[in-house]
């Protein structure tokens, strides 16, 4: 009962402690990866609506360009130079920490999936440290071809392919299309940013949406000529995947208080 009461207190939006002007706090973005309502366990098999059974071995993605929005519509744009993070299931990177957020009550958040063209065109030198980080988690091609926004890999089987086949979905922009997307989400509970406190926004991330979202994309229809692997790294399917990823993120809950609940 005590623990339950503590959770209600931490998640409640009724605590309207005053905002001290000129102060700031921290916001944690915590990403809880799943597949169609189940927890994502690397190596475990999941059957999607396309009739394909996937054993996911890698789910990495880049989140960026965070904007916190108040009820009156005013926005705080997080500094661009600090606004790029790798989330990695295999690397146990689950959160992005935003520092020096002006104290206030925030009701929405906007974030990007991938690296926007403006940032990429600043050149390699301007973003060397993040480029090196992304490369360490298999989130880059060559510099001329840029970043992988999503790296989604594993094996699959289906009625057509009963023996395991490798799959690779590498989502990014290219010379013909800009697949960077921004997603705006309402918070179920106000994120109260205060000095000395931490507001933690907990996202549920559905990897199933990548292939089994608004657009249905079958791995078995994207096999290489040898028939040994399915690779989606360009073309019309990446545009469809970019549309699917708009439904990939949802805010589950918000914790307000001292320290991270994770």
């Amino acid at each position: 009962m005590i623990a339950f009461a503590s959770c209600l207190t931490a998640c409640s939006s009724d605590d309207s402690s005053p905002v001290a002007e000129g102060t700031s706090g921290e916001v944690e973005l915590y990403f809880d990866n799943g597949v169609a309502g189940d927890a994502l366990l690397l190596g475990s098999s999941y059957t999607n609506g396309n009739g394909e059974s996937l054993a996911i071995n890698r789910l990495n993605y880049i989140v960026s360009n965070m904007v916190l929005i108040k009820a009156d519509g005013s926005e705080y744009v997080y500094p661009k130079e600090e606004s790029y993070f790798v989330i990695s299931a295999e690397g146990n990177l689950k959160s992005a920490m935003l520092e020096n957020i002006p104290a206030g009550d925030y009701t929405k958040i906007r974030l990007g999936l991938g690296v926007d063209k403006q940032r990429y065109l600043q050149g390699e030198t301007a973003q060397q440290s993040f480029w090196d980080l992304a490369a360490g988690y298999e989130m880059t091609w060559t510099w001329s071809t840029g970043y992988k926004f999503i790296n989604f890999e594993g094996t699959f089987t289906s009625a057509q392919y009963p023996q395991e086949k490798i799959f690779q979905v590498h989502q990014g922009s290219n010379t013909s299309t800009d697949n960077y997307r921004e997603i705006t989400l309402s918070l179920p509970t106000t994120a109260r940013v205060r000095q000395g406190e931490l507001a933690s926004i907990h996202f549920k991330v559905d990897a199933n949406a990548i292939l089994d979202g608004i657009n249905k994309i079958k791995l078995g229809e994207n096999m290489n000529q040898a028939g040994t692997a399915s690779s989606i790294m360009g073309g019309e399917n990446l545009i469809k995947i970019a549309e699917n990823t708009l439904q990939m993120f949802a805010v589950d809950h918000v914790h307000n208080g001292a320290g991270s609940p994770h």
Side-chain angles (χ1 to χ4, degrees):
M1 289 295 293
I2 293 173
F4 178 70
S6 297
C7 180
L8 287 178
T9 302
C11 299
S12 172
S13 61
D14 296 332
D15 183 356
S16 53
S17 55
V19 176
E21 295 296 329
T23 63
S24 61
E26 296 181 333
V27 174
E28 177 192 43
L29 309 182
Y30 183 86
F31 297 87
D32 187 1
N33 296 315
V35 185
D38 293 326
L40 172 61
L41 300 175
L42 295 181
S44 296
S45 294
Y46 305 86
T47 300
N48 63 23
N50 299 325
E52 296 178 328
S53 180
L54 280 63
I56 301 167
N57 298 327
R58 171 172 288 158
L59 176 64
N60 298 342
Y61 49 93
I62 295 172
V63 292
S64 60
N65 295 316
M66 291 73 180
V67 179
L68 293 166
I69 306 168
K70 294 181 179 179
D72 63 4
S74 59
E75 299 182 349
Y76 174 71
V77 180
Y78 199 65
K80 194 171 189 63
E81 294 74 16
E82 303 169 19
S83 195
Y84 297 85
F85 301 87
V86 172
I87 304 300
S88 171
E90 62 180 335
N92 202 34
L93 299 181
K94 298 180 179 180
S95 62
M97 190 66 70
L98 310 183
E99 301 177 337
N100 299 315
I101 305 297
D105 298 330
Y106 297 92
T107 60
K108 293 182 180 180
I109 185 168
R110 183 164 65 248
L111 73 162
L113 181 59
V115 177
D116 55 291
K117 187 175 293 186
Q118 180 188 15
R119 180 60 170 166
Y120 175 66
L121 291 177
Q122 289 177 345
E124 186 174 3
T125 302
Q127 51 199 296
Q128 188 68 60
S129 60
F130 181 71
W131 176 267
D132 292 343
L133 172 67
Y137 288 93
E138 304 293 334
M139 297 303 291
T140 61
W141 285 295
T142 63
W143 176 251
S144 62
T145 48
Y147 293 93
K148 301 172 188 176
F149 302 167
I150 299 174
N151 188 335
F152 183 49
E153 298 181 348
T155 60
F156 82 100
T157 60
S158 65
Q160 184 180 6
Y161 294 98
Q163 300 298 318
E164 280 191 349
K165 303 293 183 182
I166 294 169
F167 77 84
Q168 295 178 312
V169 177
H170 295 172
Q171 164 74 311
S173 291
N174 51 53
T175 54
S176 60
T177 58
D178 182 0
N179 292 314
Y180 168 80
R181 293 292 184 272
E182 290 189 341
I183 304 156
T184 301
L185 298 168
S186 296
L187 306 183
T189 304
T190 299
R192 293 183 287 102
V193 178
R194 300 291 188 272
Q195 186 174 28
E197 297 184 8
L198 176 70
S200 180
I201 301 174
H202 187 121
F203 294 84
K204 290 286 189 180
V205 183
D206 184 7
N208 188 63
I210 297 171
L211 299 174
D212 189 16
I214 297 172
N215 300 299
K216 308 299 181 182
I217 301 168
K218 291 187 176 182
L219 294 168
E221 295 177 353
N222 291 272
M223 299 296 290
N224 60 15
Q225 289 186 346
T228 57
S230 177
S231 298
I232 303 174
M233 300 184 186
E236 182 66 25
N237 275 336
L238 283 194
I239 299 173
K240 292 179 179 179
I241 287 173
E243 294 174 358
N244 285 351
T245 58
L246 295 174
Q247 307 301 318
M248 188 174 166
F249 296 85
V251 177
D252 186 66
H253 60 270
V254 178
H255 289 281
N256 292 301
S260 170
H262 305 113

